[in-house]
Amino acid sequence: MPPPKDVVKIAIQMVGAIPQLIELQQTKPLASVLKDVCDAWSLPNAEHYALQYADGRQTYITESNRGEIKNGSILRLTTSPDQEAERLYNGIRSNNVDVKTDSLKKLASLSQDVTFAQEFINRNGLKLIFCIVEEGNDSGEILAHTLKAFMELMEHDFVSWETLSAAFIKKIVSYVNMNAMDASVQQLSLSILENMVPSSRLLFDLVKKEVTVDRLLTHLQVTNAQLQLKAMALLIALLLAATDSERRDMMEYLREKNIRQFIHKNIIHSPEPLGDEMAHYLYVLQSVSLNLYDRRMRTSMDPYSQEQRELLQSLRQAAFESESEAPTSNFSTERRRSLCAKEFRKLGFTNNSNPAEDLRRAPPGLLALDNMLYFSRHTPNAYSRFVLENSSREDKHECPFARSSIQLTLILCEILHIGEPCSETAQAFYPMFFGQDHFFEELFCICIQLVNKTWKEMRATQEDFDKVLQVVREQITRTLSLKPTSLELFKTRVNALNYSEILKLRQTERLHQEETLAVPVLELRERLKPELLELIRQQRLLRLCEGTLFRKISSRRRQDKLWYCRLSPNHKVLHYGDVEEGVQSPPIESLTEKIPVADMKALLVGKECPHTKEKSSGKQNKDVLELAFSIVYDVEEYCLNFVAPTRYEFCLWTDGLNVLLGKEMTSERMQTDLDVLLSMELKLRLLDIENISIPDTPPPVPKPPSNLNFCYDFSHAEQ
């Protein structure tokens, strides 16, 4: 008979005593449970003791979290949080350096627990930490433990960052600005400032004023990877918290300081592998940089703006002024207007009498005009060749430069996600972005020449305009997916992917589709499916056994805390636990938390997950919704919450967990994998009938013979 759901069997340890094995009644007050445990060991003053987990985070057991205790848990009897907080408070005030150091070290460790943190803060413990920092008498190890403890205490949001004193903030800033300062202290100081920046406008202004961009760039150039990472984190926090004009000024200053070239050379191409967090910061920096084009992209051209009309005229003059035999000033107004209209038509504007109308659509708005001007000024020969080559054609095969530029700008904005908010977890950045100033404009210059090249290869007319731009979009996206490290490499690869190559790819896909749509082939696909689905299930379970590193994300900031989860080799238990940065594949024995697969009840994804309901529903969290999933387990229906590092990992884990729950795999990755495996298997099976048409219906079965009196006489077989 199973035990009642409000009773769990646990072990309780104490140093120097034989462990107790008890049945914990969850309905019994915790104070009574502690009294019974202390009485068994003949300990007085049960109120001075508390229970905490013996493994993992060693969280204190309280009435609010006792429901998370599972069968087989190992707890430890220890000093109660209030007694421990009092002891450490007094230890920190001690004049004995060793006692003070040990107390601060223990404080930094225990402050991760919310119960202890509240007890310490209630004793005005933060004031003690402020005094240590503000007085500035301590340094090195003591200061590092103090700042670490402060960070952990502030994580619980009991105290607002806005309550920090000016003296405390200036001290933290001074640690960042000092040249001769312990690296661990500088790392913690940078982390503290990173947390302060998004908390209020006042703190943002203070940090921006006191910690200069030059100082952060100095930290970025050190060899200490962690210090480099924290400096980048603060820089990104400042960029995200800034107004549009401030962000524009900061990015312009960073451009002047050649930060892109430095990142390209010393971070992206560093001998050390690029960590997930640094990859995320580089993605954000790329996204922030590209989003500076958003304002121009969403601004329509004003036909009454003298400045914008002059820009349009300069575009025309760059192409046609030199070939005019006589200056247009000698012509009448009507003749000059007619000549300009003719030249704007040659440039490829649809509305040649008023070309500004072509740029009224936003997006791409004025960004298309900016790109055309950049192309005409920085590659004048290519610009003239493009325009004159097409304007001299009379066979309706001319490629319209302006119309193509406007549509291409829109395509590039969509591919590069310009105007979209930064993802909280994405790590996908283009290495070539950091190797080139004016990346977007230079990319446009390459792609507009690609449009002309593809147009000629397709022998297109005006009616084929959309078709050509679809091919160009495909050429660009296929090449970008290869992650070229430089624009030169991108140019080489995208030009190699010519129209004939695109046709071959499309033909291959079409033939493959035709083959796979034949009735006998469809029947064969259905027969092969169960076997291949089982193969995918086994692969998913193997991936769960390898495990994945997950990152904890709060609603306030992107956490740098990591935890690991993996399935046991016998597929019966999920092991998980916190790990340090840099640990790739921790042994299963080090993951102290466990969930028996038999206790798992359901899998929740997206908005159904409890940890996504707690977060705000803004655009910023859209990516978190797409990567979030939770396991509901045990009778009490507790939840273990995940945010996958990538969509790929999300698919693998949700598929694997569905397999463990005995349900169908539902991710898009499963369908992709199944299609690939079916395609390969079908091709292998159909090799022997290549170039033979497969009939839609099977051939008729011959009629049976008139009699069945035939057999082989084995008596005449050779001896």
Side-chain angles (χ1 to χ4, degrees), residues 691-705:
N691 298 325
I692 298 175
S693 60
I694 303 172
D696 290 336
T697 56
V701 179
K703 292 180 180 180

Side-chain angles (χ1 to χ4, degrees), residues 141-154:
E141 191 178 5
I142 288 182
L143 187 55
H145 290 319
T146 304
L147 297 179
K148 176 67 174 171
F150 171 76
M151 280 286 294
E152 295 295 348
L153 290 168
M154 294 299 287

Side-chain angles (χ1 to χ4, degrees), residues 30 255 378 385 498 561 680:
L30 201 54
R255 190 189 67 78
H378 290 79
R385 187 165 56 250
N498 53 35
K561 293 183 179 177
M680 291 171 59

Side-chain angles (χ1 to χ4, degrees), residues 318-500:
F320 301 109
E321 192 85 344
S322 59
E323 67 171 2
S324 300
E325 294 181 1
T328 55
S329 57
N330 296 337
F331 296 153
S332 65
T333 305
E334 190 62 35
R335 174 77 189 280
R336 191 162 56 246
R337 188 179 294 122
S338 172
L339 182 61
C340 287
K342 182 180 178 183
E343 290 176 345
F344 276 122
R345 183 184 62 76
K346 289 182 178 180
L347 267 177
F349 284 96
T350 307
N351 192 329
N352 47 66
S353 60
N354 187 10
E357 288 296 321
D358 287 23
L359 295 162
R360 294 292 295 274
R361 183 177 58 146
L366 289 174
L367 187 57
L369 178 60
D370 295 341
N371 281 338
M372 287 189 278
L373 288 167
Y374 185 92
F375 181 53
S376 68
R377 291 168 181 172
H378 290 79
T379 54
N381 292 335
Y383 171 65
S384 298
R385 187 165 56 250
F386 188 119
V387 175
L388 298 177
E389 177 184 294
N390 287 286
S391 63
S392 61
R393 301 186 69 166
E394 297 296 338
D395 54 0
K396 296 184 180 181
H397 287 284
E398 66 274 9
C399 176
F401 170 72
R403 186 184 175 194
S404 300
S405 297
I406 293 167
Q407 190 61 30
L408 176 62
T409 301
L410 182 61
I411 288 172
L412 291 178
C413 288
E414 290 172 354
I415 291 173
L416 298 174
H417 306 290
I418 292 176
E420 296 180 17
C422 296
S423 161
E424 291 183 5
T425 56
Q427 301 166 7
F429 66 93
Y430 297 112
M432 65 178 179
F433 171 82
F434 294 96
Q436 179 72 53
D437 276 333
H438 306 291
F439 167 78
F440 185 74
E441 293 86 349
E442 291 290 339
L443 183 65
F444 172 85
C445 291
I446 293 171
C447 294
I448 192 62
Q449 294 176 77
L450 175 70
V451 171
N452 191 34
K453 175 176 173 287
T454 305
W455 187 282
K456 288 188 288 187
E457 289 170 352
M458 294 176 68
R459 294 189 57 78
T461 61
Q462 294 296 323
E463 289 76 17
D464 301 318
F465 180 82
D466 291 336
K467 191 187 299 183
V468 174
L469 269 295
Q470 285 174 1
V471 172
V472 170
R473 179 192 281 269
E474 187 175 345
Q475 290 170 317
I476 295 169
T477 51
R478 284 181 182 272
T479 307
L480 284 176
S481 67
L482 301 174
K483 291 290 180 72
T485 53
S486 68
L487 272 175
E488 280 301 316
L489 189 56
F490 171 83
K491 183 177 180 180
T492 303
R493 288 180 173 176
V494 81
N495 283 320
L497 191 64
N498 53 35
Y499 180 55
S500 62

Side-chain angles (χ1 to χ4, degrees), residues 552-591:
K552 295 184 179 179
I553 298 176
S554 72
S555 59
R556 183 164 52 81
R557 71 182 185 96
R558 189 169 192 269
Q559 297 280 348
D560 55 0
K561 293 183 179 177
L562 305 168
W563 65 289
Y564 202 87
C565 187
R566 65 192 302 178
L567 181 66
S568 62
N570 62 5
H571 303 168
K572 291 186 177 181
V573 180
L574 270 179
H575 297 260
Y576 66 96
D578 293 349
V579 294
E580 296 296 325
E581 183 81 47
V583 176
Q584 295 298 324
S585 182
I588 203 165
E589 299 79 16
S590 66
L591 304 175

Side-chain angles (χ1 to χ4, degrees), residues 78-211:
T78 186
T79 314
S80 63
D82 59 328
Q83 293 289 312
E84 193 66 30
E86 185 69 30
R87 186 180 72 81
L88 292 181
Y89 183 85
N90 294 326
I92 293 168
R93 298 173 64 188
S94 171
N95 293 324
N96 186 312
V97 176
D98 292 336
V99 172
K100 186 175 183 177
T101 304
D102 290 341
S103 298
L104 285 166
K105 185 177 181 181
K106 188 74 181 291
L107 176 66
S109 173
L110 284 177
S111 294
Q112 298 178 38
D113 182 86
V114 64
T115 310
F116 171 83
Q118 193 160 22
E119 290 290 345
F120 188 78
I121 290 172
N122 289 344
R123 282 168 172 70
N124 215 6
L126 276 173
K127 186 177 180 181
L128 206 57
I129 289 178
F130 293 155
C131 288
I132 293 174
V133 174
E134 289 171 12
E135 289 171 4
N137 298 326
D138 298 297
S139 60
E141 191 178 5
I142 288 182
L143 187 55
H145 290 319
T146 304
L147 297 179
K148 176 67 174 171
F150 171 76
M151 280 286 294
E152 295 295 348
L153 290 168
M154 294 299 287
E155 278 292 319
H156 303 293
D157 289 333
F158 292 134
V159 180
S160 169
W161 289 88
E162 296 178 61
T163 60
L164 301 182
S165 68
F168 178 83
I169 295 172
K170 284 183 178 179
K171 268 294 180 184
I172 298 297
V173 167
S174 71
Y175 299 147
V176 172
N177 290 334
M178 281 184 191
N179 289 322
M181 175 53 67
D182 185 81
S184 60
V185 172
Q186 287 191 322
Q187 288 173 34
L188 288 162
S189 299
L190 286 164
S191 290
I192 291 170
L193 295 177
E194 178 205 349
N195 280 273
M196 286 168 51
V197 165
S199 300
S200 77
R201 180 67 199 183
L202 188 66
L203 290 174
F204 165 79
D205 289 334
L206 181 60
V207 175
K208 184 173 180 289
K209 178 183 175 183
E210 298 293 338
V211 182

